[in-house]
Amino acid sequence: MKSICIIKPDDWHLHLRSGEAMRSVVGMSAAQMGRAIVMPNLTPPVKSAVQARAYHDEIVRALPEGSVFKPLMVLYLTDNTSALDIQEAVEASEVYAAKLYPAGATTNSESGVTDVSHIYPALEAMQKAGMPLLLHGEVTDPEVDVFDREAVFIDTTLSQIVKDFPGLKIVLEHITTKDAADYVASAPKNVAATITPHHLLVNRNHMLVGGIKPHYYCLPILKRKQPHQNALLAAATSADPKFFLGTDSAPHDKHAKESACGCAGIFSAHAAIELYAMAFDGVGAIERLEGFASKFGPDFYGLSRNSEIITLEKQSWTVPESYDFAGSEVQPFFSGDEITWRMQPC
Ligand code: NCD
Ligand code: ZN
Ligand code: ZN
């Protein structure tokens, strides 16, 4: 049986939620990942260093006995985030980045930024302190087609930020288009991107052919296989250190997704590294997985790589139909389907 050993990965984009929901899912990420950049789009959002520390402590208290998983906290930027808020976040040992959600772009982004000019003092402070800016890279203009919102964001907002803040570390999160992959590959080295397992493994046909499949609905929305999914596979397996692992695992109650107005988000924490292994193996690039999953992320953030090793075996298993989620259910990515790689317990 084919097996590989890699440095323990990290998840550079993860939604853990809070309370009972968080306690239902955090163990799955902790079983696979050394660290995770934990998204701040709670209700209410994590807007200050004090709130970030409280959320950090809540997560740590929920970890299984003996777990060494480290949550890396993120500040949620609003129109009112000041340079002082950033300074306080920089001084808080739990906070590693700040996140720009264009207001209204995605789940719990209502308090996000309405115009980036409002946060220029905060971005100035981040650039000075070396704190990365994480982006949900989509415009919200109702005139712009939902499939084009990432490309338009790059042409308008992102290219302007890159020009105005040449020393700011920027991560374009969960990229979904060839436009994004090409832009990041040719941008200066302070600009990187995360790629999700679902954008590598599926495309909009999975969501829309044969009936609407709400569990494939996420933002940015799944795109075409050619050129977009193929471009993401090429970028992830290119060994270019600008592209690294970020699952965007985003659990929602099954019933909130199976609705006349279903919410956006795909849950993948149950099998994150195995899903990536399957995607890489599918294009004959399993030997490139370790760089993407375990090296390029910490290198970009200026952190050390994990010292533990994990083993992955080529072995099929069937994903459960659902997992418990705060007394209800969450339907995982690939539910009821086979995954061809499996992480072995250490
Ligand atoms: C995320 C969520 O549910 O919090 N949903 C999603 O579709 N990706 C928010 C986000 O990352 O945009
Ligand atoms: Zn997002
Ligand atoms: Zn996300």
Side-chain angles (χ1 to χ4, degrees), residues 13 15 39 99 174 248:
H13 182 134
H15 298 271
M39 289 296 137
K99 174 88 186 233
H174 48 40
D248 192 23

Side-chain angles (χ1 to χ4, degrees), residues 140-162:
T140 56
D141 180 350
E143 290 301 314
V144 178
D145 188 90
V146 69
F147 288 95
D148 299 333
R149 289 180 176 198
E150 182 176 272
V152 174
F153 181 89
I154 292 166
D155 285 349
T156 54
T157 316
L158 177 56
S159 47
Q160 192 64 48
I161 298 175
V162 169

Side-chain angles (χ1 to χ4, degrees), residues 171-337:
V171 185
L172 185 56
E173 301 287 344
H174 48 40
I175 61 168
T176 63
T177 55
K178 181 175 189 308
D179 311 62
D182 289 348
Y183 177 83
V184 170
S186 60
K189 71 175 191 327
N190 54 307
V191 182
T194 54
I195 307 180
T196 75
H198 43 281
H199 289 101
L200 292 176
L201 287 165
V202 292
N203 57 64
R204 67 193 203 178
N205 273 8
H206 294 84
M207 177 176 61
L208 295 171
V209 173
I212 287 187
K213 319 270 180 20
H215 291 283
Y216 285 106
Y217 176 60
C218 64
L219 290 168
I221 199 155
L222 295 172
K223 305 296 192 301
R224 293 167 178 273
K225 180 177 173 60
Q226 180 58 21
H228 302 304
Q229 183 190 359
N230 289 342
L232 299 177
L233 279 163
T237 60
S238 66
D240 181 341
K242 285 164 156 273
F243 299 102
F244 46 85
L245 187 159
T247 61
D248 192 23
S249 175
H252 288 276
D253 189 301
K254 184 173 154 70
H255 305 290
K257 289 193 68 68
E258 295 171 6
S259 143
C261 185
C263 56
I266 294 181
F267 177 64
S268 60
H270 62 296
I273 193 62
E274 289 107 333
L275 289 161
Y276 283 110
M278 195 161 67
F280 275 60
D281 196 22
V283 292
I286 194 71
E287 75 289 348
R288 297 267 170 100
L289 180 64
E290 185 179 42
F292 174 84
S294 314
K295 294 180 175 174
F296 305 153
D299 294 356
F300 185 83
Y301 274 79
L303 301 171
S304 58
R305 297 170 182 171
N306 291 319
S307 50
E308 299 92 341
I309 302 289
I310 63 157
T311 303
L312 290 160
E313 274 182 5
K314 193 153 189 182
Q315 179 196 320
S316 288
W317 60 288
T318 305
V319 176
E321 291 292 342
S322 69
Y323 290 99
D324 175 68
F325 187 59
S328 182
E329 287 173 290
V330 59
Q331 184 166 315
F333 188 46
F334 265 67
S335 67
D337 280 345

Side-chain angles (χ1 to χ4, degrees), residues 5-265:
C5 292
I6 61 167
I7 297 170
K8 192 173 202 181
D10 302 298
D11 189 344
W12 300 96
H13 182 134
L14 175 65
H15 298 271
L16 284 176
R17 314 306 188 200
S18 60
E20 199 50 46
M22 181 272 291
R23 288 190 286 278
S24 306
V25 297
V26 68
M28 300 191 209
S29 292
Q32 297 204 337
M33 303 291 167
R35 294 161 287 195
I37 279 281
V38 180
M39 289 296 137
N41 62 332
L42 306 182
T43 36
V46 181
K47 291 191 287 195
S48 69
V50 170
Q51 288 169 318
R53 181 170 300 132
Y55 184 30
H56 168 273
D57 294 350
E58 187 198 355
I59 295 165
V60 170
R61 277 196 303 275
L63 289 175
E65 185 86 17
S67 173
V68 294
F69 176 76
K70 187 171 174 193
L72 311 177
M73 310 315 291
V74 179
L75 212 65
Y76 183 115
L77 297 168
T78 73
D79 282 346
N80 300 318
T81 306
S82 65
L84 181 63
D85 293 323
I86 296 298
Q87 202 43 50
E88 286 173 1
V90 167
E91 282 160 19
S93 58
E94 296 88 353
V95 182
Y96 286 79
K99 174 88 186 233
L100 164 55
Y101 291 99
T106 187
T107 307
N108 295 343
S109 62
E110 297 75 16
S111 319
V113 174
T114 60
D115 188 322
V116 278
S117 64
H118 294 139
I119 56 161
Y120 265 38
L123 297 185
E124 197 71 58
M126 288 169 64
Q127 174 172 254
K128 210 163 139 209
M131 174 175 273
L133 170 68
L134 316 183
L135 298 169
H136 180 104
E138 289 192 291
V139 293
T140 56
D141 180 350
E143 290 301 314
V144 178
D145 188 90
V146 69
F147 288 95
D148 299 333
R149 289 180 176 198
E150 182 176 272
V152 174
F153 181 89
I154 292 166
D155 285 349
T156 54
T157 316
L158 177 56
S159 47
Q160 192 64 48
I161 298 175
V162 169
K163 200 159 131 239
D164 293 343
F165 298 93
L168 180 63
K169 282 191 194 184
I170 298 172
V171 185
L172 185 56
E173 301 287 344
H174 48 40
I175 61 168
T176 63
T177 55
K178 181 175 189 308
D179 311 62
D182 289 348
Y183 177 83
V184 170
S186 60
K189 71 175 191 327
N190 54 307
V191 182
T194 54
I195 307 180
T196 75
H198 43 281
H199 289 101
L200 292 176
L201 287 165
V202 292
N203 57 64
R204 67 193 203 178
N205 273 8
H206 294 84
M207 177 176 61
L208 295 171
V209 173
I212 287 187
K213 319 270 180 20
H215 291 283
Y216 285 106
Y217 176 60
C218 64
L219 290 168
I221 199 155
L222 295 172
K223 305 296 192 301
R224 293 167 178 273
K225 180 177 173 60
Q226 180 58 21
H228 302 304
Q229 183 190 359
N230 289 342
L232 299 177
L233 279 163
T237 60
S238 66
D240 181 341
K242 285 164 156 273
F243 299 102
F244 46 85
L245 187 159
T247 61
D248 192 23
S249 175
H252 288 276
D253 189 301
K254 184 173 154 70
H255 305 290
K257 289 193 68 68
E258 295 171 6
S259 143
C261 185
C263 56

